[in-house]
Amino acid sequence: MHILTMDDLTNEDMLQLLHQAGIYQQSIEKIPDSYYAANLFFENSTRTKSSFEMAQKKLGLNVLSFDAQTASIQKGESLYDTVKTLEAIGVDVAVIRHGEDRYFDQLEGRVKLSIINGGDGMGHHPSQCLLDLMTIHQEFTAFKGLTITIVGDIRHSRVARSNAMALKRLGAKVQFSGPEAWMDGELLEMGNYINFDKAVEVSDVLMMLRVQHERHAFGQSFEKAEYHALYGLTAEREKRMPIKSILMHPAPVNRGVEIADELVECERSRIFKQMTNGVFVRMAMLKFVLQKREAQKHEFVN
Amino acid sequence: MHILTMDDLTNEDMLQLLHQAGIYQQSIEKIPDSYYAANLFFENSTRTKSSFEMAQKKLGLNVLSFDAQTASIQKGESLYDTVKTLEAIGVDVAVIRHGEDRYFDQLEGRVKLSIINGGDGMGHHPSQCLLDLMTIHQEFTAFKGLTITIVGDIRHSRVARSNAMALKRLGAKVQFSGPEAWMDGELLEMGNYINFDKAVEVSDVLMMLRVQHERHAFGQSFEKAEYHALYGLTAEREKRMPIKSILMHPAPVNRGVEIADELVECERSRIFKQMTNGVFVRMAMLKFVLQKREAQKHEFVN
Amino acid sequence: MHILTMDDLTNEDMLQLLHQAGIYQQSIEKIPDSYYAANLFFENSTRTKSSFEMAQKKLGLNVLSFDAQTASIQKGESLYDTVKTLEAIGVDVAVIRHGEDRYFDQLEGRVKLSIINGGDGMGHHPSQCLLDLMTIHQEFTAFKGLTITIVGDIRHSRVARSNAMALKRLGAKVQFSGPEAWMDGELLEMGNYINFDKAVEVSDVLMMLRVQHERHAFGQSFEKAEYHALYGLTAEREKRMPIKSILMHPAPVNRGVEIADELVECERSRIFKQMTNGVFVRMAMLKFVLQKREAQKHEFVN
């Protein structure tokens, strides 16, 4: 059992995960048996890595430290051989982040440990998606009837892709906004493009994406101030948002670019709430995967 | 509740911490509840980091690994946002070392987790100070009446600053020695400058500071051998020390510079004893902070 | 009590370790007391480091994280002072890998913590040796009468050195094969050189060594394909191996160089089995060292 993309989960699975995450929010129940987890982050992401590690420790899993920067993979070892090694030494579940799109295609069906995708290239990021779903569900208790606008660099965003698909499957209306050059033809089949100044007035959820300095040479197409003026949440725009609507962002926020500095922790911001939920959702994912795994083992035995 | 500088502690707090550290020296008592600690070291310091981690593990805390070198802070995230993230995912206490003087000013009053300062720029280093106090207290059972000389790069030393202040508050007589160009006007208000050859004869404690190759271009002002001849503890000088006086150093020692190689582990050296005490003192600090925190939580509840 | 080279172990010790490793393979028994381990890897080796860490965690040891890359040793601290520091803060057993041959000579007799050698320069690698012995013993239940051929870069291999000596002591016949320029005069006193095409037909165990790109400039003496044709296990050669003979490799394998890609996981390959055994053997080594240590402590007390 792996969780690689949101397609690995039925709508029922998703709701079950949100339910379990909600239980973990109330109180932590440790997993009885001794399981071993390893986190393989070939791209930097302290936030996601720390969150998974916290989830693992709260569950009572043993966590093997693994520094992908100094790993044998630097000696030319393939990802398959690295993962197979972890399997051989007794790792039950590996969380992997890797810069290559669908890195997991070379692993699926060939390894016995479970894989949770911590982000692949410009592809998928299911744990971020689930924590966003949890945050929205906590707020509105349903997805049907909600209008959610995803704003920013749609084309290069794992978050945009996973979220748009999952939200649509669960019945929400998804829209996109931001620089038109950053839109994505395939994703636009799932929702319309909407002018940002209109979006702030009609959305239940504004989901702002990080402008990735790493991918875009700022100054070429946009200056920071210009981006903020055109597509950032300014104090003026925040005032025009509907009364119960909320503001989300996967973080880290470029303060003063996507969102005005003073609005990052405003009343309708759920940005730090998202991080807190991230731990509970990841606990639910780990439990889900390990339970399926245990069930499969018993099947093999009988 | 934070411990950022020695000013955060009353004399009573200090003595209570030393008492608690002494108890931990006798036997380890685990903290009952599940607390989570993270160590954020933006400057290299294996010694202090390992010591805090050992203290956390001996207490039974969960320790989140955090590699500041690959952290999101590298993507331009502020220290505030990084710490806020750790708070959001459930960290109770963060130990932070940072190159910037008073980095904690941007955090105080804005975060709910507790911070223990593991060293800020050329400012403060309270855990080092407390372990030095513990080592002196074990030896002499009091501070009043003691003469303590701090020797070396007074101006750039966190250790000198914290120790001089705390020792004076506790009633000891503090003196400074070393190259006159490395003295510090503000600190000299707390004690006199004394010629090193005189200091070795009248001090109960010689507290040698590390010559920081990182900060001083050796060879410019001093050659190593020249420093040793002028301000280092040579075999000849050691013989002139009073019978019960002791030798301290925050380590790592530049053997043959501050202290002759063969004296690093001599009978009056407490250098490795200081490291051992460091774990007990840090356990006491962690317990102190977490207990105050717990007390505050209950206040909020009632 | 240290384990630095295979010479630190009698034949009885070795067999006892294999026996204990076999018990750990059946079920894990935790060590009752609270021990602290640290892994100091000054050379990259994710595989060995992860395996030791897994062994430590399965035993219930506390593991102190230690990043040798950012350690104080970078400030010029000696290995002795680093290890002495770990001892001072309470570490019971340190696993050390270091690029210098016999780095442990500067430590032996001077430190109280126990050292397990995780590999020194081109010298020794006892845990790899023991896991190889375990794998062979599992297969053939004895060493006497076995013919084992070690193939490849004999001269630069810690594995070759440790294994040849231990296997010979336990009664096996050891042979060497591979490029003649890579043979080693001293080791050849322990066994004959044999033509590789002959070796595949007469060996119970083919122990292939990694071609170390790090040490050899490929393309100078051998092209990869040429090495494979001359000294690699091809499909054709594998067919000529005796029916019950097995294939071993310390990994990571250069697929298509030492071994044809499709043979790495063939039926007679024990390569991933070796990794699994590595955890059990390291558990046995840790227990062995800690028990001797405990016995010595009690001797001191009485």
Side-chain angles (χ1 to χ4, degrees):
Chain A
M1 174 66 203
H2 309 299
I3 302 178
L4 304 175
T5 76
M6 292 304 286
D7 294 338
D8 295 322
L9 302 171
T10 64
N11 283 7
E12 288 66 39
D13 287 341
M14 278 196 258
L15 295 173
Q16 185 196 320
L17 283 165
L18 300 191
H19 177 70
Q20 181 64 50
I23 290 175
Y24 284 140
Q25 190 180 19
Q26 302 308 317
S27 74
I28 305 303
E29 143 226 17
K30 301 245 172 186
I31 284 188
D33 264 309
S34 272
Y35 287 106
Y36 289 82
N39 300 314
L40 279 69
F41 278 62
F42 296 99
E43 285 190 333
N44 288 349
S45 174
T46 317
R47 193 174 308 271
T48 305
K49 194 180 178 189
S50 296
S51 179
F52 267 113
E53 192 180 332
M54 181 60 94
Q56 290 154 351
K57 293 200 164 159
K58 287 207 165 181
L59 277 177
L61 301 183
N62 291 291
V63 185
L64 213 65
S65 68
F66 186 91
D67 185 353
Q69 314 287 331
T70 63
S72 290
I73 220 157
Q74 307 291 14
K75 297 190 196 171
E77 192 183 46
S78 70
L79 179 61
Y80 170 77
D81 280 334
T82 299
V83 172
K84 208 72 187 165
T85 298
L86 292 176
E87 179 182 297
I89 66 172
V91 171
D92 298 288
V93 56
V95 178
I96 306 180
R97 165 165 294 198
H98 198 285
E100 192 188 314
D101 278 25
R102 301 192 66 83
Y103 67 81
F104 43 75
D105 285 347
Q106 64 187 291
L107 303 174
E108 224 184 331
R110 300 177 70 198
V111 296
K112 272 175 251 145
L113 56 68
S114 290
I115 298 167
I116 294 179
N117 183 13
D120 64 297
M122 291 185 288
H124 300 270
H125 195 352
S127 68
Q128 177 72 41
C129 179
L130 283 163
L131 76 87
D132 288 337
L133 294 181
M134 181 179 181
T135 307
I136 294 169
H137 194 261
Q138 275 179 339
E139 204 69 33
F140 302 100
T141 67
F143 296 97
K144 287 215 175 80
L146 291 183
T147 299
I148 293 155
T149 308
I150 306 178
V151 186
D153 185 1
I154 308 296
R155 181 173 298 175
H156 296 98
S157 170
R158 298 187 271 235
V159 179
R161 187 174 310 272
S162 291
N163 280 6
M165 291 170 65
L167 285 164
K168 211 183 161 199
R169 276 170 58 192
L170 292 167
K173 180 181 171 191
V174 178
Q175 307 181 130
F176 302 98
S177 193
E180 294 195 43
W182 289 358
M183 294 298 114
D184 179 281
E186 197 190 325
L187 273 179
L188 282 176
E189 290 172 19
M190 270 179 267
N192 295 325
Y193 179 84
I194 179 171
N195 171 284
F196 185 54
D197 272 299
K198 195 154 191 182
V200 299
E201 295 182 354
V202 300
S203 304
D204 298 296
V205 179
L206 274 190
M207 199 177 268
M208 316 296 283
L209 301 178
R210 175 178 168 77
V211 176
Q212 305 206 36
H213 306 291
E214 300 85 26
R215 301 198 205 264
H216 299 285
F218 249 124
Q220 284 199 329
S221 39
F222 291 102
E223 293 292 332
K224 289 187 185 193
E226 192 188 347
Y227 185 92
H228 188 59
L230 289 171
Y231 308 109
L233 192 70
T234 58
E236 182 274 325
R237 287 194 179 107
E238 192 269 339
K239 288 203 187 76
R240 290 194 281 120
M241 288 174 72
I243 189 155
K244 293 216 161 173
S245 70
I246 61 170
L247 169 67
M248 294 173 67
H249 190 292
V253 179
N254 295 302
R255 287 169 177 262
V257 182
E258 299 101 49
I259 301 173
D261 189 17
E262 67 275 18
L263 294 179
V264 171
E265 297 177 64
C266 73
E267 208 185 329
R268 59 170 97 242
S269 165
R270 295 296 175 271
I271 298 176
F272 288 106
K273 183 78 178 164
Q274 286 172 274
M275 295 180 207
T276 303
N277 286 340
V279 176
F280 303 127
V281 153
R282 288 172 178 123
M283 291 174 74
M285 293 172 82
L286 287 159
K287 187 186 177 185
F288 184 81
V289 157
L290 288 170
Q291 276 187 335
K292 297 260 175 189
R293 192 176 154 75
E294 207 57 44
Q296 283 167 344
K297 266 193 211 164
H298 292 155
E299 276 172 39
F300 292 143
V301 171
N302 297 333
Chain B
M1 173 66 202
H2 309 299
I3 301 180
L4 304 176
T5 76
M6 292 304 287
D7 293 338
D8 294 321
L9 302 170
T10 63
N11 283 8
E12 287 66 40
D13 286 341
M14 279 197 257
L15 294 173
Q16 185 196 323
L17 283 164
L18 299 192
H19 177 70
Q20 181 65 50
I23 290 174
Y24 284 140
Q25 190 181 20
Q26 302 307 318
S27 75
I28 306 305
E29 144 227 16
K30 301 244 171 186
I31 284 186
D33 264 309
S34 273
Y35 288 105
Y36 289 82
N39 300 314
L40 279 70
F41 278 63
F42 297 98
E43 286 191 332
N44 289 346
S45 175
T46 316
R47 193 174 307 272
T48 305
K49 194 179 177 189
S50 296
S51 180
F52 267 113
E53 193 181 331
M54 181 60 95
Q56 290 154 350
K57 293 198 164 161
K58 287 208 165 180
L59 277 177
L61 301 184
N62 292 290
V63 185
L64 212 67
S65 68
F66 185 90
D67 187 353
Q69 315 287 330
T70 62
S72 289
I73 220 157
Q74 308 291 13
K75 297 190 196 168
E77 190 182 48
S78 70
L79 179 61
Y80 170 76
D81 281 334
T82 299
V83 172
K84 207 75 188 163
T85 298
L86 292 175
E87 179 183 298
I89 66 173
V91 171
D92 299 289
V93 56
V95 178
I96 306 180
R97 165 165 294 197
H98 198 287
E100 194 188 312
D101 278 25
R102 301 192 66 82
Y103 67 81
F104 43 76
D105 285 346
Q106 62 187 292
L107 303 174
E108 225 183 331
R110 300 177 69 198
V111 296
K112 271 175 253 144
L113 56 68
S114 290
I115 298 167
I116 293 179
N117 182 13
D120 64 297
M122 291 184 287
H124 300 270
H125 195 352
S127 69
Q128 177 72 41
C129 179
L130 283 164
L131 75 88
D132 288 338
L133 294 182
M134 181 181 180
T135 307
I136 294 169
H137 193 260
Q138 276 180 338
E139 205 68 33
F140 302 101
T141 67
F143 296 97
K144 288 219 174 80
L146 291 183
T147 299
I148 293 155
T149 309
I150 307 177
V151 185
D153 185 359
I154 308 297
R155 180 173 300 175
H156 296 98
S157 171
R158 297 187 271 236
V159 180
R161 186 174 309 273
S162 292
N163 280 6
M165 290 168 66
L167 285 165
K168 210 183 160 197
R169 275 169 58 191
L170 291 167
K173 178 180 171 191
V174 178
Q175 307 180 129
F176 302 97
S177 193
E180 295 195 41
W182 290 358
M183 294 300 113
D184 180 278
E186 196 189 327
L187 274 179
L188 283 176
E189 290 172 20
M190 272 180 266
N192 295 326
Y193 178 84
I194 180 172
N195 170 285
F196 185 54
D197 272 299
K198 194 153 191 183
V200 299
E201 295 182 354
V202 300
S203 305
D204 297 296
V205 179
L206 274 190
M207 199 177 271
M208 315 296 282
L209 301 179
R210 174 178 169 79
V211 175
Q212 305 205 37
H213 306 291
E214 299 86 24
R215 300 196 205 264
H216 299 285
F218 249 125
Q220 283 199 329
S221 42
F222 291 103
E223 294 293 332
K224 288 188 185 194
E226 191 189 346
Y227 185 92
H228 189 59
L230 290 171
Y231 308 109
L233 192 70
T234 58
E236 182 274 324
R237 286 192 180 109
E238 192 271 340
K239 288 203 187 75
R240 290 194 284 121
M241 288 174 72
I243 190 155
K244 292 217 161 173
S245 70
I246 61 170
L247 170 66
M248 295 173 67
H249 189 294
V253 179
N254 295 302
R255 287 170 176 262
V257 182
E258 299 101 50
I259 301 173
D261 188 18
E262 68 276 16
L263 295 179
V264 172
E265 296 177 66
C266 72
E267 208 184 329
R268 61 171 96 242
S269 165
R270 295 296 176 273
I271 298 175
F272 289 106
K273 183 77 180 165
Q274 286 172 274
M275 295 180 206
T276 302
N277 286 341
V279 175
F280 303 126
V281 153
R282 288 173 177 120
M283 292 175 75
M285 292 172 83
L286 287 159
K287 186 185 177 187
F288 184 82
V289 157
L290 289 170
Q291 276 187 335
K292 297 260 175 189
R293 191 174 156 75
E294 207 57 44
Q296 283 167 345
K297 266 193 211 164
H298 292 156
E299 276 172 39
F300 290 143
V301 171
N302 297 331
Chain C
M1 173 67 201
H2 308 299
I3 301 180
L4 304 176
T5 76
M6 292 304 285
D7 294 337
D8 294 322
L9 302 170
T10 64
N11 283 8
E12 287 66 40
D13 286 342
M14 278 197 258
L15 295 173
Q16 186 196 322
L17 282 165
L18 299 192
H19 177 71
Q20 181 65 49
I23 290 174
Y24 284 140
Q25 189 180 21
Q26 303 306 318
S27 76
I28 305 305
E29 145 227 14
K30 300 245 170 183
I31 284 186
D33 264 308
S34 271
Y35 287 105
Y36 289 82
N39 301 314
L40 278 70
F41 278 62
F42 296 98
E43 286 191 331
N44 288 348
S45 174
T46 317
R47 193 174 307 273
T48 305
K49 194 180 178 189
S50 296
S51 180
F52 266 112
E53 193 180 332
M54 181 60 94
Q56 290 153 353
K57 293 198 165 162
K58 287 208 164 180
L59 277 177
L61 301 184
N62 291 291
V63 186
L64 213 66
S65 68
F66 186 89
D67 186 353
Q69 315 287 332
T70 62
S72 289
I73 220 158
Q74 308 291 13
K75 296 191 198 171
E77 191 183 48
S78 70
L79 179 60
Y80 170 76
D81 280 334
T82 299
V83 172
K84 208 71 188 168
T85 298
L86 292 175
E87 179 182 298
I89 66 173
V91 170
D92 298 290
V93 56
V95 179
I96 306 180
R97 165 165 294 198
H98 198 286
E100 193 189 314
D101 278 26
R102 301 191 66 83
Y103 66 82
F104 41 77
D105 285 347
Q106 64 187 291
L107 303 175
E108 225 183 332
R110 300 176 70 198
V111 295
K112 271 175 251 145
L113 56 67
S114 291
I115 298 167
I116 293 179
N117 182 13
D120 63 296
M122 292 184 287
H124 300 268
H125 196 351
S127 69
Q128 178 70 43
C129 179
L130 284 164
L131 76 86
D132 288 338
L133 294 182
M134 181 179 180
T135 307
I136 294 169
H137 194 261
Q138 276 179 338
E139 205 68 34
F140 302 101
T141 66
F143 296 98
K144 287 217 174 80
L146 291 183
T147 299
I148 292 154
T149 309
I150 307 177
V151 185
D153 185 1
I154 307 296
R155 182 173 298 174
H156 297 97
S157 170
R158 297 187 271 234
V159 180
R161 187 174 308 271
S162 290
N163 280 5
M165 289 168 66
L167 285 165
K168 210 183 160 199
R169 274 170 59 192
L170 292 167
K173 179 182 170 189
V174 178
Q175 308 180 129
F176 301 98
S177 193
E180 294 195 43
W182 290 358
M183 294 299 115
D184 179 282
E186 198 191 325
L187 274 180
L188 282 176
E189 291 171 20
M190 271 179 266
N192 295 326
Y193 179 82
I194 180 171
N195 171 284
F196 185 53
D197 272 299
K198 194 154 191 182
V200 298
E201 295 182 355
V202 301
S203 304
D204 298 295
V205 179
L206 274 191
M207 198 176 270
M208 315 297 281
L209 301 178
R210 175 177 168 79
V211 175
Q212 304 206 35
H213 306 291
E214 299 86 25
R215 300 196 204 266
H216 299 285
F218 249 124
Q220 283 200 328
S221 40
F222 292 101
E223 291 294 331
K224 289 187 185 194
E226 190 189 348
Y227 185 92
H228 188 59
L230 289 171
Y231 308 109
L233 192 70
T234 59
E236 182 275 325
R237 287 193 180 109
E238 192 271 339
K239 288 202 187 76
R240 291 193 282 120
M241 288 175 72
I243 190 157
K244 291 215 161 174
S245 69
I246 62 169
L247 169 66
M248 296 173 66
H249 189 294
V253 179
N254 295 301
R255 287 170 178 261
V257 182
E258 300 102 49
I259 301 172
D261 188 18
E262 68 275 18
L263 294 179
V264 171
E265 297 178 65
C266 72
E267 209 184 328
R268 61 170 95 244
S269 164
R270 295 296 175 272
I271 298 175
F272 288 107
K273 183 77 179 163
Q274 286 171 272
M275 294 179 206
T276 302
N277 286 340
V279 176
F280 303 127
V281 153
R282 289 174 177 120
M283 292 174 75
M285 292 171 82
L286 287 159
K287 187 187 177 184
F288 185 81
V289 158
L290 288 170
Q291 275 187 336
K292 297 259 175 189
R293 193 175 155 74
E294 208 56 44
Q296 284 166 345
K297 267 193 211 164
H298 291 156
E299 276 172 37
F300 292 143
V301 171
N302 297 332

